[in-house]
Amino acid sequence: AAETAEAAGAAAAAADGGAGDLRAEAAERKAEGNGHFKAGEYREALACYTDACEKDPSEPVYLGNKSAAEFQLRRYGACVATCDAALALKPEFHKCAVRRAKARTCLGDLEVAETELLAACEAHPGEASLAAELAAVRATRAEWSSAEAALASHDAHTARVAALKVRGAVSESVDADMLLARCELGCGRAEQASKVCLGVIREHRSYVPAYCVRGKALCALADLDQAEAHLSQALRMDPDHTESARTLKRMRTLKRGLATAKEHVFRREFDEAAECLTTVLDNELVAADKAPGAKDLRARTYAERANCYQRSKQYERAIKDCAHAIYADPRCKEAYLTRSNALQGLGRHDDAISDLELVVGKLDPEDKGVHKRLERAKFELRKSKRPDYYKILGASTIASAPEIKAAYKKAALKWHPDRHASKGEEERAQAEEEFKKCGEALEVLSDPRRKQLYDEGYDKEASDEIIQREQMRYGGCCGGHC
C-alpha cells in the first residue's frame, strides 16, 4: 500500500510537471505571436496563438489574442467563435465582448451584436467600452434603417450617404453590399452599381438579388443583351423571383421597341420610328421618373429619336430631344452630331460649329469624320454670309454670260450714283453701296472660274485664295483656265 501511494504521488508530480511545461511553451508561443502581430504578420501570429491555445486551452487570454489575429485577417466568423470560447472561460473579458460585437457588425449581424452587448452591459454596468460599442452598433443600425427608408421614398442620394456609412462598418455583408448597389443605381451611378453586384456574384454565385440588380444596372447602361442574360439567370435560380420576372418582361418589350424602330429607320419611315422610340421612352426601365439611373439608355433613345426627327426635317423637335440626351449623358456624342445637323438645317451655323468643336475638342478628337463635318459646317457658315450675287443683279442662277451682263446693266442703271445725286445723304450712301455690290457681282459671275467657285459655295475671299494657288501651281492669269 505504501508503495502504491508513493507511485501515485510520483505520477501526479510528473503530470503537474508536464502541465507546467506545456503552459511555459504556450507562454513562449504567445510571446512569439505578439512579435508577429506587432509587425503586422497576422498569419504567423495566428499560427502562434492557435498553438498556444492548444497547449493551454484553459487560458482565455490566448483565445483573446487568437481572436484579434482572426479579426485582422477578416476571418470574422472564426473571430466570433473564438470570442465565444474566451467569454465562456472569462465572462468579464470585455475586450473579447467588444471584438465579438465588431466582428458581428462586419458580418452584418447587427441585431445579434446589439443583444449580446445589452446583456454584457447589464452584467457589467460600469464598463465604458461595452457602452461605447453598443452605441456604435445602434448608430449603424439607425443608418441602415435610414438608407432603406430614403430609398423607399425615392431619395436615392440621401440613401446613398447612409449606405456608404453602413458599408464602412459592415464590410462583409451581402445585404449591405446590395443596399449600396440599389442606392448607386437610384443615383444614376449604374456602372458603380454593376461593379458592386459583380463583386457579390463572384463571392456568392447563387445570390439571386445580385443578378437582378446587376441586370437593371446593365440595362441602364444600354447593355441589353447582358442585362437579359443576368435576369434570365436569376429566374433560372429562382423562378419565383418577382422583381427579376417583372424587369425581364419590361426589358424584352423595350428591346422589341428598339428593334422595330431600327427597321422603320432602315425603310426611311422616320415618323413611325419616332413613335416606336416614344413608346420606349415611356418604358419604366427608361423613363426618368421611374428609372433615374438609366441615363445611358435614356440618352441613347433620345438621340435616336432626335435623329429620326432631324432626317424628317423636324429640326426643332430634334434639337429638343438632343438636349434631353445631353442632359442624361453630357458625353453623348451622337446627340451633339445630330443637333449640329439640325442647327444647320435651321441656318444656325454658328451653333452647329460650337457643337462640332466640342466633339472634336473633348469627346472624340481622333474621329476624322467629325473633323470633316466641322470643316463643312464652317464652309456653310461662310457660304451663308456671302452676298447673293444673283439676287443683287436680279438674274437667274442658270443665267448665261450675256444674260448676266444684261442684268448688270439694268441693276447698275438703277443704282447709279448720278441718279440719286439729288436725294438725301442716307439714300445716296445706300445707292453707292448697291452700285458697288453690282460691280462685285459682275466681277464674280462674268468670270467662268469665279462663277464656278461661287456656285460651289465659296465666298469671294476663299475663291481668290483658290485662284491664287492655281496660278502659282499652273502659271498664267487664270490658273490654266485661259
Side-chain angles (χ1 to χ4, degrees):
E3 290 177 359
T4 302
E6 184 179 349
D16 288 340
D21 291 342
L22 286 175
R23 284 194 292 271
E25 290 178 13
E28 289 178 3
R29 293 295 282 162
K30 186 253 189 191
E32 185 181 347
N34 288 346
H36 287 303
F37 194 93
K38 289 177 181 178
E41 299 166 349
Y42 302 118
R43 293 183 186 279
E44 292 80 357
L46 178 58
C48 292
Y49 293 143
T50 300
D51 195 18
C53 290
E54 290 173 353
K55 292 180 183 300
D56 189 357
S58 63
E59 178 53 65
V61 173
Y62 300 158
L63 291 167
N65 294 140
K66 180 184 177 185
S67 70
E70 289 168 336
F71 188 90
Q72 292 297 331
L73 290 169
R74 303 171 69 91
R75 299 178 183 180
Y76 300 120
C79 177
V80 168
T82 304
C83 287
D84 284 340
L87 289 166
L89 294 172
K90 185 180 178 181
E92 68 277 10
F93 199 166
H94 304 314
K95 280 188 178 181
C96 268
V98 170
R99 187 173 296 124
R100 180 176 64 179
K102 290 183 182 295
R104 288 201 185 279
T105 298
C106 290
L107 293 170
D109 297 334
L110 297 176
E111 186 176 355
V112 176
E114 183 175 355
T115 301
E116 290 175 343
L117 284 169
L118 273 171
C121 286
E122 290 174 0
H124 310 281
E127 180 55 42
S129 62
L130 295 174
E133 189 61 27
L134 177 60
V137 170
R138 284 174 169 171
T140 301
R141 290 193 72 185
E143 290 289 357
W144 196 316
S145 298
S146 174
E148 293 282 9
L151 201 57
S153 61
H154 306 292
D155 186 0
H157 292 281
T158 299
R160 180 175 179 270
V161 172
L164 285 171
K165 291 179 181 178
V166 170
R167 190 104 180 285
V170 184
S171 58
E172 299 293 324
S173 168
V174 171
D175 291 335
D177 288 340
M178 295 312 302
L179 172 64
L180 179 59
R182 294 198 304 274
C183 292
E184 296 282 23
L185 185 58
C187 289
R189 296 162 59 86
E191 187 171 350
Q192 288 79 359
S194 176
K195 288 180 180 178
V196 172
C197 292
L198 182 59
V200 172
I201 290 170
R202 284 173 175 167
E203 295 294 326
H204 307 276
R205 292 285 181 181
S206 60
Y207 191 67
V208 173
Y211 288 90
C212 179
V213 176
R214 188 162 195 251
K216 287 184 173 182
L218 290 167
C219 182
L221 292 168
D223 191 349
L224 302 183
D225 291 337
Q226 277 298 310
E228 184 174 7
H230 277 70
L231 292 165
S232 298
Q233 178 63 21
L235 288 172
R236 278 194 291 272
M237 292 187 292
D238 182 2
D240 296 325
H241 196 259
T242 306
E243 186 179 2
S244 294
R246 183 172 60 248
T247 304
L248 182 59
K249 181 179 179 180
R250 289 170 180 166
M251 200 202 65
R252 284 174 172 168
T253 300
L254 185 157
K255 286 184 70 175
R256 285 195 297 272
L258 291 172
T260 303
K262 187 175 182 179
E263 292 173 2
H264 283 304
V265 170
F266 181 77
R267 295 195 293 267
R268 302 188 65 80
E269 298 167 350
F270 300 120
D271 290 339
E272 291 81 355
E275 288 180 10
C276 288
L277 293 169
T278 299
T279 302
V280 170
L281 287 166
D282 290 334
N283 189 296
E284 288 191 16
L285 296 178
V286 185
D289 58 334
K290 300 292 186 180
K295 293 182 178 181
D296 287 15
L297 180 58
R298 191 156 52 250
R300 166 186 159 180
T301 308
Y302 270 120
E304 288 184 8
R305 191 172 72 171
N307 183 52
C308 293
Y309 287 145
Q310 183 264 323
R311 295 180 72 177
S312 60
K313 302 189 185 304
Q314 300 180 63
Y315 298 128
E316 294 291 353
R317 298 181 78 176
I319 291 170
K320 184 177 179 180
D321 267 8
C322 287
H324 282 302
I326 292 167
Y327 178 78
D329 178 11
R331 298 188 62 82
C332 184
K333 173 182 168 183
E334 292 75 15
Y336 287 103
L337 297 179
T338 298
R339 187 167 68 177
S340 72
N341 288 339
L343 289 167
Q344 289 187 73
L346 293 172
R348 294 166 55 183
H349 302 291
D350 284 317
D351 293 332
I353 289 171
S354 296
D355 275 350
L356 292 170
E357 285 179 336
L358 189 148
V359 174
V360 167
K362 294 183 178 181
L363 301 184
D364 193 353
E366 303 301 322
D367 191 330
K368 294 181 180 179
V370 179
H371 282 275
K372 291 181 180 179
R373 291 174 70 162
L374 176 58
E375 291 304 315
R376 184 65 190 177
K378 290 179 178 179
F379 177 80
E380 291 296 330
L381 175 62
R382 291 193 300 269
K383 181 179 177 181
S384 69
K385 293 181 177 180
R386 300 176 312 164
D388 187 342
Y389 291 142
Y390 291 105
K391 185 176 181 180
I392 289 170
L393 298 181
S396 167
T397 56
I398 59 173
S400 63
E403 289 172 334
I404 288 172
K405 289 181 179 179
Y408 166 74
K409 289 180 181 178
K410 183 177 179 181
L413 182 62
K414 175 183 177 181
W415 295 107
H416 197 284
D418 292 346
R419 298 193 64 179
H420 299 268
S422 61
K423 296 184 179 179
E425 182 177 350
E426 186 176 336
E427 290 179 323
R428 289 200 306 274
Q430 181 186 2
E432 290 177 3
E433 180 64 25
E434 294 297 331
F435 185 74
K436 181 180 178 181
K437 288 180 180 178
C438 290
E440 187 177 289
L442 179 65
E443 177 187 357
V444 171
L445 299 181
S446 62
D447 183 299
R449 180 57 176 154
R450 291 182 185 277
K451 181 177 183 298
Q452 178 189 359
L453 291 171
Y454 179 81
D455 290 341
E456 290 175 358
Y458 294 96
D459 58 14
K460 188 174 185 301
E461 181 181 354
S463 298
D464 289 343
E465 290 177 359
I466 292 173
I467 290 172
Q468 185 178 6
R469 287 198 300 269
E470 290 176 346
Q471 288 175 346
M472 293 177 64
R473 185 180 303 158
Y474 301 111
C477 62
C478 300
H481 297 283
C482 62

